[in-house]
Amino acid sequence: MTSSPSSSAVLVPAVVLRDKGDSSSPQDLWLAILKQIEPKLPRGQFITWFKDTALLSRDGGTVVVGLPLPMALNWHMENYRAMTIEAARSCDATIEKIAYKVDGGLKDNRERSFDLLEHFPEKKRRKLPGRQEVKMAEGIVSKILNPHYSLESFVVGSNSRLAHAACQAVAAHPGDKYNPLFIYGGVGLGKTHLLQATGNAILKQMPKATVVYTTTEDFTNQVIEAIRSQKMEQLRRRYRCVDVLIIDDVQFLANKERTQEEFFHTFNALYEDCKQVILSADRPPQELQLEDRLTSRFERGMIADVSPPDYETRLAILAEKAREYELFIDMSVLQFIAEHTTRNVRELEGILMQAFAQYELEQRMPTVKSIAEIMRKLSKDPYEEEEVVGFQVPPKRAATFQDVLEEVSRYYSVSVNDMIGASRVREVLLPRQIAMYLGKTYLRMSYVRLGQMFSNRDHTTVMNAMSKIEKKMQDDPQLLREVRAIEQELGFGR
Ligand code: ADP
Ligand code: MG
């Protein structure tokens, strides 16, 4: 029977209406939500954590968000749940709740999820003129100060208290008591950070001030160029209009007589005008082998050193850096890095950067094991060159069954107690079976022993679990990947 014209006339607008109201298929709605979230997150985080996600279903006010990996679950719940619900509500005010569901089938599945990179292409970065340098006045350039270097983000320890306090004092009253300010210490201990942070702090208070930050190398090149083009007078005049002159690594002035002489004149002119000069070097002034008159000028002001940080300071620096990179990392892992890296801060940072890269690329949370691995790779041959590389890499230790339990527990976000306990809820069944499988396969534990480990279960239960998990791994490539990831973390099968 065909429907009567009148009924279709009634139906058509209804259908159109409904179409409009629901125009968001789950896919469209999810895309709209992601568009709200994307500007609020650092790009790396957004891509890492929202890749292969989807809106699976909607039941009244509850939308179910699918995540491709079990490990993403906790992370989303703790970090993105509020943001996601807010974005969802701004797309559709009737949404009340978000539920998460792990669905391994979403991984790399373009039918069910999006290619995030296609929908959110990387925006071209705004190019700064000359990028590295900025013109301050006619003929005067400064390197761009790194905005991340601030006096607040510098972690103060007994190794750097005086230097930091001096920088603060100079930032508050440039050209006053501590002029020049001379910071010295070994490589990677934070001299450049302090110098730039002081420059940043001065600019914050006095945005119109001409703050020039330059390296000794650049300064030398300018002098050489001025000599060549016979414009020395001009260069001198130009530097006089600078309010704050910051020169990094003045140890490189050694053996450059002409540059030293020019610097001496510039320094004097600024000093007499009560303009602040800030310098750094890898050793104290008297050891720099510079002209005496220059050394004595340096000694006239404030001299402070930075030395290698102690354990507590190293740990505090790591925590601060992890916060800056927005890297969620376990305290025990930071402690491990702080314990085993002793040379300088740059080294600490290097390890953290690697951990960050790993976490972005492979979605692997840094663990003590993965960090030890990074440290091994960063040092060429830790066992032969331990002294030289500065790392104390712990010897490889074979994983124990406790490690297996902890790793599986971490990976699937279930507690070890639940895993070995009596619970039969679905969330713990799989992790339990995987732990049994790993114990049997790699630690060669007997069925009986494994049964005892899991609340005295009968050995036949373990045998059953084994055959189930082996079958599942054959059928489900996603599960296989997960088990392989855990094996890798535990150092199995290498
Ligand atoms: P230097 O100039 O002495 O060789 P840098 O200033 O370049 O060392 O420091 C190396 C890295 O370590 C920088 O990224 C810097 O931010 C960081 N750093 C050093 N000391 C500290 C500290 N106390 N707190 C925070 N970051 C630090
Ligand atoms: Mg430096």
Side-chain angles (χ1 to χ4, degrees):
M1 284 264 141
T2 51
S3 46
S4 70
S6 64
S7 69
S8 73
V10 176
L11 267 176
V12 168
V15 167
V16 169
L17 253 186
R18 188 173 322 140
D19 241 351
K20 249 192 180 162
D22 268 8
S23 77
S24 31
S25 67
Q27 284 256 33
D28 291 341
L29 178 57
W30 189 231
L31 187 58
I33 294 174
L34 290 181
K35 282 192 174 149
Q36 305 272 329
I37 295 176
E38 191 250 0
K40 296 187 185 146
L41 285 177
R43 182 172 170 79
Q45 257 193 48
F46 176 73
I47 299 292
T48 306
W49 293 105
F50 286 87
K51 193 170 68 186
D52 299 327
T53 56
L55 208 156
L56 296 181
S57 61
R58 176 164 181 182
D59 182 6
T62 304
V63 288
V64 181
V65 173
L67 305 172
L69 288 171
M71 62 176 290
L73 189 60
N74 259 356
W75 186 259
H76 268 266
M77 301 227 283
E78 278 173 25
N79 297 284
Y80 305 136
R81 192 211 277 271
M83 188 182 273
T84 309
I85 188 106
E86 188 189 307
R89 281 194 189 132
S90 79
C91 296
D92 178 343
T94 62
I95 294 175
E96 285 161 11
K97 257 185 22 201
I98 292 219
Y100 289 101
K101 182 165 181 233
V102 177
D103 181 342
L106 287 169
K107 189 130 188 67
D108 298 325
N109 185 334
R110 288 293 149 262
E111 307 259 287
R112 300 183 56 206
S113 167
F114 318 103
D115 184 351
L116 270 199
L117 294 176
E118 187 187 304
H119 285 275
F120 298 90
E122 186 157 24
K123 294 186 193 80
K124 286 257 177 305
R125 294 231 168 117
R126 197 160 42 92
K127 278 217 169 136
L128 291 165
R131 271 181 58 96
Q132 299 296 323
E133 293 193 327
V134 57
K135 192 169 166 192
M136 306 300 297
E138 195 48 47
I140 302 275
V141 290
S142 166
K143 289 215 181 309
I144 287 180
L145 295 175
N146 182 340
H148 291 298
Y149 290 153
S150 69
L151 290 174
E152 293 76 33
S153 69
F154 189 87
V155 177
V156 184
S158 52
N159 61 313
S160 59
R161 186 153 290 126
L162 180 66
H164 184 260
C167 288
Q168 276 181 322
V170 164
H173 304 286
D176 197 17
K177 260 192 307 195
Y178 299 146
N179 201 15
L181 171 59
F182 190 103
I183 307 279
Y184 75 90
V187 70
L189 294 177
K191 302 181 297 295
T192 297
H193 184 135
L194 281 173
L195 260 54
Q196 294 213 4
T198 310
N200 278 325
I202 294 173
L203 277 174
K204 208 166 168 188
Q205 280 187 65
M206 299 184 251
K208 293 233 165 71
T210 308
V211 175
V212 171
Y213 168 89
T214 180
T215 59
T216 301
E217 197 189 356
D218 282 357
F219 184 79
T220 305
N221 288 340
Q222 279 187 31
V223 171
I224 292 170
E225 175 54 27
I227 294 170
R228 197 194 56 76
S229 57
Q230 300 187 321
K231 289 193 175 138
M232 206 55 241
E233 233 347 275
Q234 208 177 351
L235 185 71
R236 258 182 230 177
R237 259 200 326 273
R238 282 173 180 165
Y239 263 98
R240 289 181 188 205
C241 71
V242 167
D243 296 313
V244 178
L245 178 61
I246 307 176
I247 303 198
D248 214 349
D249 291 320
V250 293
Q251 69 270 16
F252 296 123
L253 281 176
N255 303 321
K256 294 181 180 131
E257 286 81 14
R258 193 59 209 275
T259 311
Q260 283 185 41
E261 190 186 330
E262 272 327 306
F263 182 65
F264 179 76
H265 291 306
T266 305
F267 178 90
N268 275 345
L270 292 173
Y271 182 79
E272 275 154 27
D273 275 356
C274 294
K275 305 287 183 61
Q276 180 71 45
V277 178
I278 310 175
L279 307 158
S280 83
D282 64 354
R283 61 203 103 156
Q286 64 278 15
E287 290 176 23
L288 282 174
Q289 296 178 311
L290 303 179
E291 284 180 30
D292 286 346
R293 56 178 183 170
L294 208 49
T295 312
S296 69
R297 286 290 187 280
F298 291 169
E299 287 174 336
R300 206 187 268 175
M302 171 74 183
I303 300 175
D305 73 318
V306 283
S307 53
D310 58 16
Y311 170 76
E312 285 76 16
T313 311
R314 293 200 295 275
L315 192 57
I317 292 174
L318 282 167
E320 166 66 22
K321 298 284 168 191
R323 198 190 56 74
E324 267 174 40
Y325 299 144
E326 303 192 42
L327 176 60
F328 181 78
I329 190 164
D330 208 73
M331 203 55 185
S332 62
V333 178
L334 294 183
Q335 282 164 348
F336 178 84
I337 303 176
E339 273 162 25
H340 295 284
T341 310
T342 49
R343 237 185 5 184
N344 66 39
V345 181
R346 193 169 294 159
E347 204 165 57
L348 288 177
E349 217 178 9
I351 295 170
L352 217 52
M353 288 296 281
Q354 291 282 323
F356 184 59
Q358 186 178 61
Y359 142 86
E360 283 213 315
L361 291 173
E362 303 169 20
Q363 300 193 336
R364 262 172 66 183
M365 287 296 179
T367 59
V368 166
K369 281 206 184 63
S370 70
I371 291 286
E373 193 62 30
I374 287 172
M375 286 162 71
R376 252 181 228 113
K377 280 183 192 147
L378 284 179
S379 56
K380 277 165 270 141
D381 189 345
Y383 297 102
E384 270 178 38
E385 290 183 74
E386 210 161 278
E387 300 294 286
V388 185
V389 298
F391 296 136
Q392 301 161 7
V393 178
K396 279 185 193 167
R397 176 178 70 84
T400 62
F401 192 60
Q402 186 60 31
D403 295 329
V404 169
L405 289 173
E406 280 169 16
E407 189 57 43
V408 175
S409 129
R410 188 171 11 230
Y411 195 89
Y412 287 103
S413 304
V414 296
S415 75
V416 170
N417 278 342
D418 284 349
M419 222 157 53
I420 61 176
S423 164
R424 296 205 42 84
V425 298
R426 218 160 44 100
E427 283 74 15
V428 304
L429 281 186
L430 183 74
R432 183 181 294 150
Q433 289 169 351
I434 290 176
M436 288 177 176
Y437 166 83
L438 295 171
K440 181 78 199 147
T441 311
Y442 294 101
L443 303 179
R444 311 215 170 281
M445 294 166 74
S446 69
Y447 291 123
V448 175
R449 177 87 189 104
L450 277 166
Q452 288 166 348
M453 299 296 285
F454 288 87
S455 307
N456 269 329
R457 284 177 165 80
D458 192 72
H459 73 279
T460 52
T461 314
V462 184
M463 288 168 85
N464 268 336
M466 275 296 283
S467 53
K468 270 194 198 136
I469 194 78
E470 279 172 343
K471 167 119 188 22
K472 276 191 211 161
M473 280 165 61
Q474 275 178 7
D475 297 344
D476 180 353
Q478 171 60 24
L479 176 67
L480 187 65
R481 269 199 294 273
E482 290 171 18
V483 176
R484 293 285 173 260
I486 298 170
E487 288 171 356
Q488 195 186 355
E489 270 300 301
L490 288 163
F492 288 155
R494 266 190 227 135

